[in-house]
Amino acid sequence: MSGDSCLHHLQPQIQSAVSVSSAGCSTTPCTNHVVSGNKYVKLNVGGNLYYTTLQVLTQQDTLLRSMFSGKMEVLTDKEGWILIDRCGKHFGLILSYLRDSFVTLPKSKQGIMELLAEAKYYQIQGLIDFCQRSLQDIEEKALCVIPVITSPKEEERLIQGCVRPVVKLLYNRGNNKYSYTSNSDDNLLKNIELFEKLSLSYSGRVLFIKDVIGDEICCWSFYGQQRKLAEVCCTSIVYATEKKQTKVEFPEARIYEETLNALLYETLPVPDNSLLEATRRRNNCCSHSEEEEAVELRERVRRIHIKRYSTFDDRPLGH
């Protein structure tokens, strides 16, 4: 077998398990433990056994070159395994990088951080830079991209061009003509926070868009297959001490319900009638024209629309 062949990663067996006391180890130059007649070196890294070549270990300017070029003394056991007191989980990747100057990094951020720690210990600058760039890319990678509508045409284009369900939040505090009730600002923030939470949870399945130019203060809209399914308006006008005030509500349960209803349109070519049956007002046995179906849809949207205008008087009775 050539000394330039691929890495062999060996699992230690019971007979050769390395749990060596200092009495069973010796400190000698590592070149004494290269098997005569070939270029292979036996390594025990934290209990993980590896065969590799002296050429791989010394071809880059690293701590391993110092260890295996005779400049440093290394610890060996009685069977000739060179002991390295480090975690051996990623040592195979270390050797791969030394051999090819490239390696496929672990998929998880934690795995990359573990490999980075080993690269720093072995002073492999190229691998250090590679891991740090990958970690930076992970930090900068957007978890969710939320378009902000700047015109009605843009809104139509986004909705009509999207095959996924769409959830839109319109919020524009400046549309208010009156003063707000005491809890309205908090409820407006809660609506925004819920929108951000849902967008992170369903970013791959639902398109979330923001509307800051509409004529409402806080309103949710839900779309499936390029048509509006439902709308939840969170504002109403109330009377308190003979003055009109704007009240912003936070119908969290309703918003969750309509978001899940929108997911019914995620992959099916047509909505599943059995799942939508509970939301239909009319009997499914009746035949409807397209115009009647459109009227039914508008009625459903209105049915879940929070009442815009209501009367509220907190004055005691008799006044």
Side-chain angles (χ1 to χ4, degrees):
M1 182 181 295
S2 170
D4 296 327
S5 61
C6 296
L7 166 70
H8 295 277
H9 177 193
L10 307 178
Q11 294 297 331
Q13 300 178 356
I14 297 176
Q15 292 85 348
S16 60
V18 180
S19 178
V20 184
S21 65
S22 59
C25 301
S26 61
T27 303
T28 57
C30 70
T31 52
N32 292 342
H33 296 276
V34 178
V35 180
S36 176
N38 62 41
K39 300 178 181 179
Y40 280 98
V41 180
K42 301 191 301 181
L43 302 175
N44 182 334
V45 186
N48 294 275
L49 306 184
Y50 294 88
Y51 279 124
T52 189
T53 65
L54 196 61
Q55 179 183 2
V56 168
L57 295 172
T58 59
Q59 68 181 1
Q60 296 192 30
D61 186 14
T62 66
L63 178 65
L64 290 168
R65 172 187 281 183
S66 299
M67 293 174 62
F68 292 93
S69 61
K71 296 179 180 180
M72 297 176 59
E73 293 183 339
V74 295
L75 189 67
T76 62
D77 66 9
K78 60 184 179 181
E79 296 180 356
W81 290 92
I82 298 174
L83 307 179
I84 300 179
D85 189 17
R86 296 290 295 180
C87 176
K89 178 180 178 181
H90 300 294
F91 193 74
L93 297 178
I94 296 290
L95 294 177
S96 294
Y97 185 84
L98 293 176
R99 182 184 300 109
D100 303 323
S101 297
F102 177 81
V103 70
T104 300
L105 296 178
K107 294 182 179 180
S108 68
K109 179 180 177 181
Q110 180 63 32
I112 298 176
M113 293 177 65
E114 292 173 356
L115 179 59
L116 175 60
E118 296 305 304
K120 289 181 176 180
Y121 174 78
Y122 294 113
Q123 302 173 17
I124 309 173
Q125 189 59 48
L127 184 55
I128 293 172
D129 296 339
F130 188 25
C131 291
Q132 289 178 338
R133 286 196 303 269
S134 298
L135 289 172
Q136 184 176 359
D137 291 342
I138 291 175
E139 294 294 335
E140 294 178 353
K141 184 178 180 180
L143 296 177
C144 179
V145 177
I146 301 176
V148 178
I149 295 173
T150 58
S151 69
K153 288 185 177 180
E154 183 180 10
E155 176 182 355
E156 181 180 0
R157 179 181 60 81
L158 285 171
I159 295 174
Q160 295 300 320
C162 184
V163 297
R164 294 177 290 167
V166 178
V167 174
K168 182 187 76 171
L169 174 62
L170 188 164
Y171 65 94
N172 190 342
R173 197 176 185 279
N175 285 334
N176 184 31
K177 298 179 180 179
Y178 312 105
S179 60
Y180 284 100
T181 59
S182 58
N183 294 328
S184 291
D185 284 333
D186 287 341
N187 286 337
L188 182 59
L189 290 175
K190 288 178 181 179
N191 278 280
I192 296 173
E193 290 172 355
L194 179 58
F195 179 81
E196 294 174 348
K197 180 179 179 180
L198 291 173
S199 65
L200 290 175
S201 299
Y202 298 103
S203 61
R205 304 172 62 185
V206 178
L207 173 63
F208 290 85
I209 58 179
K210 289 182 179 180
D211 183 356
V212 295
I213 62 172
D215 56 0
E216 297 283 354
I217 296 173
C218 183
C219 184
W220 296 73
S221 299
F222 304 86
Y223 300 83
Q225 297 182 356
Q226 294 83 43
R227 65 186 181 91
K228 181 180 283 189
L229 305 173
E231 183 180 82
V232 178
C233 183
C234 303
T235 57
S236 60
I237 304 299
V238 298
Y239 289 88
T241 63
E242 300 180 352
K243 292 192 304 182
K244 288 183 180 180
Q245 287 188 309
T246 300
K247 181 180 181 181
V248 179
E249 301 185 55
F250 178 50
E252 183 177 12
R254 173 63 71 184
I255 294 167
Y256 269 111
E257 179 182 350
E258 294 306 325
T259 301
L260 296 177
N261 284 341
L263 288 173
L264 297 175
Y265 294 78
E266 180 181 12
T267 55
L268 298 177
V270 295
D272 189 336
N273 289 330
S274 63
L275 294 176
L276 295 175
E277 183 178 1
T279 66
R280 292 187 179 273
R281 173 173 292 184
R282 301 185 182 184
N283 193 326
N284 287 334
C285 298
C286 300
S287 61
H288 304 303
S289 65
E290 292 184 1
E291 182 178 354
E292 289 174 331
E293 289 289 348
V295 171
E296 179 183 350
L297 178 61
R298 289 196 298 270
E299 289 178 348
R300 177 173 180 258
V301 171
R302 280 201 302 271
R303 189 165 65 252
I304 68 168
H305 199 289
I306 294 178
K307 192 174 181 181
R308 280 293 303 274
Y309 298 96
S310 61
T311 58
F312 171 76
D313 195 338
D314 59 356
R315 293 175 294 177
L317 294 176
H319 292 266

